[in-house]
Amino acid sequence: NAGVTQTPKFQVLKTGQSMTLQCAQDMNHNSMYWYRQDPGMGLRLIYYSASEGTTDKGEVPNGYNVSRLNKREFSLRLESAAPSQTSVYFCASKKEGGVVGETQYFGPGTRLLVL
Amino acid sequence: DAKTTQPNSMESNEEEPVHLPCNHSTISGTDYIHWYRQLPSQGPEYVIHGLTSNVNNRMASLAIAEDRKSSTLILHRATLRDAAVYYCILRDRTGSGNTGKLIFGQGTTLQVKP
């Protein structure tokens, strides 16, 4: 049981390049989330998917797109990377419903540097 | 989502108890109090959560004030591995708020001295 996995661990991009961050979970969770964390700051929600086939915007969605490929996988795409998107990106998942299901499990993060 | 206020940083000595405070004066009756922590270079991890009563688990205890306007996360014996940023988060489990979104503040950075 690997939990939440993210690839790549680290990436350097040039301004204007595109890339996709991958996230997968093996806990049969329905909900998945993408956050970004800038230095010295808390996490901010980019997009989330409450269930397979649905996605919704979070606090900071501009410049990103997401795809809930299936129940296990939730990818984040940067179509044209900008230096302001330099950050650490965390994927998370949780079971749906009730207080018991509200624990989120986080991946190890992807460190992205945009030059 | 209601707002929480935490001290920016705290220090503790190893093997001593640590009390991490959180103020949430605008908490509503349906808000649960959640604590997550983030170890250096890792993603956040769940610590504990509660509604009204004090809660204990293998990691920590959560003491909730009677008026629910504040709470305290208690680490009974701090170890060097407990050095992390601790986030106090309110989660509304009713209606459209129950999407699982977590709103993180800046948290409290806990330093543990040997």
Side-chain angles (χ1 to χ4, degrees):
Chain A
N1 190 339
V4 179
T5 57
Q6 294 183 235
T7 55
K9 286 186 169 54
F10 181 71
Q11 182 73 47
V12 179
L13 291 179
K14 294 181 179 177
T15 297
Q17 287 185 316
S18 62
M19 79 162 293
T20 299
L21 282 65
Q22 306 287 354
C23 174
Q25 52 89 11
D26 62 0
M27 297 174 283
N28 201 36
H29 287 172
N30 285 301
S31 301
M32 298 185 73
Y33 309 83
W34 275 106
Y35 295 86
R36 61 176 287 174
Q37 185 174 34
D38 300 325
M41 305 280 289
L43 281 72
R44 291 184 292 169
L45 183 66
I46 305 172
Y47 269 94
Y48 65 99
S49 170
S51 61
E52 186 179 354
T54 68
T55 60
D56 284 287
K57 296 178 181 179
E59 302 171 72
V60 289
N62 292 343
Y64 305 94
N65 285 301
V66 290
S67 295
R68 184 73 184 268
L69 304 169
N70 47 54
K71 191 170 186 179
R72 288 186 65 249
E73 298 171 292
F74 188 38
S75 62
L76 179 72
R77 183 161 178 84
L78 287 70
E79 290 291 350
S80 178
S84 61
Q85 293 179 305
T86 293
S87 190
V88 181
Y89 292 85
F90 290 100
C91 177
S93 72
K94 80 167 185 65
K95 289 182 182 179
E96 65 181 355
V99 176
V100 172
E102 292 214 34
T103 300
Q104 284 195 19
Y105 294 85
F106 286 80
T110 293
R111 284 158 177 74
L112 177 65
L113 174 62
V114 183
L115 301 174
Chain B
D1 295 281
K3 186 176 170 61
T4 62
T5 304
Q6 300 176 252
N8 287 333
S9 63
M10 290 185 65
E11 283 187 0
S12 172
N13 293 318
E14 197 177 10
E15 298 194 2
E16 290 186 355
V18 182
H19 291 235
L20 297 164
C22 180
N23 287 319
H24 28 77
S25 58
T26 60
I27 192 170
S28 74
T30 54
D31 281 337
Y32 277 75
I33 302 158
H34 288 249
W35 284 82
Y36 281 73
R37 73 178 185 179
Q38 187 174 19
L39 302 172
S41 301
Q42 295 190 29
E45 63 176 352
Y46 168 82
V47 177
I48 200 166
H49 74 274
L51 182 62
T52 56
S53 303
N54 294 346
V55 183
N56 299 296
N57 67 21
R58 64 175 181 82
M59 288 182 71
S61 296
L62 177 60
I64 301 173
E66 196 169 335
D67 64 4
R68 299 205 334 120
K69 292 185 185 301
S70 67
S71 60
T72 302
L73 178 71
I74 302 166
L75 306 179
H76 295 287
R77 288 183 65 209
T79 70
L80 295 178
R81 294 181 60 185
D82 290 322
V85 179
Y86 287 79
Y87 296 100
C88 170
I89 300 165
L90 301 183
R91 278 287 296 117
D92 182 357
R93 67 181 292 255
T94 63
S96 62
N98 192 18
T99 56
K101 293 185 292 183
L102 295 176
I103 306 298
F104 285 81
Q106 294 203 5
T108 296
T109 299
L110 175 65
Q111 294 183 318
V112 180
K113 296 182 288 185

